[in-house]
Amino acid sequence: MSKKRLFGTFGIRRIANEEMTPEFASRLAASYGTLVQGTVAIGGDTRTTTPMLKNGIAAGLLSSGCDVVDLGILPTPAIQYAVRNYYDGGIIVTASHNPPEYNGLKFVDEDGIGTRDDMEIKIEDIFFDGEPKRASWNEIGKFYTNNTIINEYITEAIKGVDIEAIKDAKLKVVVDTGSGAGSYTAPYLLRKLGCDVTTINCQADGHFPGRDPEPIEENLQDLISTVKELNADIGLAHDGDADRTICIDELGNFVLGDKTFTLVEKAMLKENNGGTIVTTVATSTAIYDIAEEYNGEVIATAVGDLLVARKLKETNGLFGGEENGGLIFPDFVYGRDAAMTVCKILEIMAKEKKPLSQLVGELPVYHTVKMKTHCPDDQKENVMTKIAEEIKNTTDYTLDTTDGVKILKDDGWVIIRPSGTEPIFRCFAETDNIEKSKEMTEWGISLVNKYLE
């Protein structure tokens, strides 16, 4: 298969109005529309450049003869939900957790799953080497709007859990949507669940004035302090397009995404007497421990929620996700879904009648350390090859090259992989000891730096 020239792990992200211009977006949309030739849903997050790009992609799609339905500003999973249920494809304008100067386009198929590699290469071939279909004046697509999807998405998410149990628990919740797309869903969903809700950064604002859109611990200090000050039961945070959920427990502790994954996995397997769990090679060993205990089978893919979603569909899997707080409930949306994640975590707390810290404390204990280092895109492949060659010549380690380089040692593992959306390498290590994990992560970063030109 040809090498992709534009698409990353999921879609295309660039600095808005530099590379990611309306003309660029319009031609890409027309190239996609040339292949789809149906009704395409569009929508996006709260970034200042989203309306500009959304209008560009609408024009490109219409010019290729596609009908366009504008869903407005809403979370990525809400658009995926809409496409799966009603439309032939979709283009989502978002740069997810990237800084505010970025924007991007995510293309999804009729199931609401990110487009496959072969289709992305066809889109690129049309974009670079061919010409998109340009419909004649009497075959131009029609343009519609649909502002009902947000409410439907919230309503259907709530139907997936025991709402009465959550209401009876009278949970006190602090939610921080980072001024992203979750501002239009999370506070309303929580109130429908009967929670006592306090909001932080829940005003939609593409400048992201309250915090950076990535929900990492250093960006969530206001949420952590508010949870402690209000004696809340839980703090919840989303990224820019509200497909990920990060939790703060009642003590103000930041809960790593793989802990959330393991907690929900445990509940899902117990409720369904087992099932297939799909995750990535970068996810905690705890996922495997819980699967073994509760009659589950784990399938590991390369990193990328669209790869997990596809494998869930292929295997009729029960549940899946990644270590970053992105959980996938395939009965609802074939993609990471913050709303359903919130519903499920609150249901677990309500039914178990235990605080989040205790629920997390009952899970298998592993310690993960994550770091990243800069690497130009044109050096990534060479760096990966050289690291793999070095590890192959070391008999003490086992090598897994499903995605990047995963090095398995007797006392843990480290994965070194290039980002599909940024000029960086990410390095995760997991062992039963935090200092050991830190050492392994630093070793992984040193391997990248060793081979940088």
Side-chain angles (χ1 to χ4, degrees), residues 16-279:
N17 238 11
E18 289 187 13
E19 295 170 283
M20 185 60 72
T21 62
E23 295 85 355
F24 176 89
S26 182
R27 185 175 175 85
L28 262 175
S31 301
Y32 169 83
T34 300
L35 300 173
V36 174
Q37 292 298 288
T39 302
V40 178
I42 64 172
D45 67 19
T46 58
R47 290 166 190 270
T48 60
T49 53
T50 292
M52 172 187 80
L53 294 172
K54 198 145 62 76
N55 281 297
I57 63 175
L61 288 166
L62 292 168
S63 78
S64 72
C66 289
D67 290 340
V68 177
V69 180
D70 185 357
L71 305 180
I73 303 299
L74 69 175
T76 287
I79 301 166
Q80 292 175 282
Y81 165 87
V83 172
R84 177 177 176 174
N85 287 283
Y86 303 113
Y87 305 118
D88 300 309
I91 303 178
I92 305 161
V93 183
T94 179
S96 188
H97 62 272
N98 282 50
E101 65 268 24
Y102 283 82
N103 215 327
L105 305 177
K106 290 182 175 181
F107 296 77
V108 298
D109 65 17
E110 69 275 9
D111 292 311
I113 303 174
T115 45
R116 292 182 177 274
D117 289 345
D118 57 350
M119 182 164 182
E120 291 174 348
I121 287 168
K122 287 177 184 174
I123 294 169
E124 290 180 349
D125 287 345
I126 295 169
F127 181 88
F128 286 111
D129 308 320
E131 275 302 318
K133 175 186 172 181
R134 299 299 184 183
S136 64
W137 67 270
N138 58 342
E139 292 177 339
I140 296 295
K142 295 180 176 62
F143 183 85
Y144 307 92
T145 58
N146 180 350
N147 59 9
T148 67
I149 288 297
I150 280 188
N151 288 335
E152 182 179 333
Y153 167 72
I154 292 170
T155 300
E156 292 301 313
I158 288 171
K159 284 182 183 176
V161 293
D162 187 341
I163 183 172
E164 294 307 320
I166 298 171
K167 284 182 174 178
D168 290 345
K170 295 181 169 55
L171 296 168
K172 194 171 189 179
V173 180
V174 184
V175 61
D176 176 354
T177 62
S179 298
S183 304
Y184 292 107
T185 51
Y188 307 98
L189 179 143
L190 289 165
R191 291 189 177 108
K192 282 178 179 283
L193 289 170
C195 299
D196 176 353
V197 183
T198 299
T199 61
I200 298 177
N201 300 319
C202 285
Q203 77 289 4
D205 189 332
H207 295 90
F208 304 110
R211 67 164 171 87
D212 186 272
E214 186 165 15
I216 55 177
E217 186 168 5
E218 66 188 83
N219 293 334
L220 300 180
Q221 292 305 307
D222 287 347
L223 176 61
I224 289 168
S225 61
T226 305
V227 167
K228 290 194 283 191
E229 285 170 20
L230 297 180
N231 293 314
D233 295 298
I234 189 171
L236 299 165
H238 296 331
D239 58 340
D241 64 337
D243 64 354
R244 289 193 283 147
T245 299
I246 288 294
C247 299
I248 308 299
D249 72 19
E250 78 287 356
L251 304 175
N253 296 313
F254 181 92
V255 180
L256 288 169
D258 47 20
K259 296 284 189 185
T260 309
F261 188 131
T262 312
L263 180 64
V264 176
E265 176 201 18
K266 181 178 176 180
M268 296 286 284
L269 288 173
K270 285 168 72 175
E271 289 166 15
N272 293 277
N273 298 311
T276 299
I277 306 298
V278 182
T279 187

Side-chain angles (χ1 to χ4, degrees), residues 276 278 308-320 328 330:
T276 299
V278 182
V308 175
R310 274 192 215 122
K311 186 60 71 173
L312 281 166
K313 186 171 189 292
E314 289 168 15
T315 60
N316 194 28
L318 173 68
F319 172 64
I328 301 175

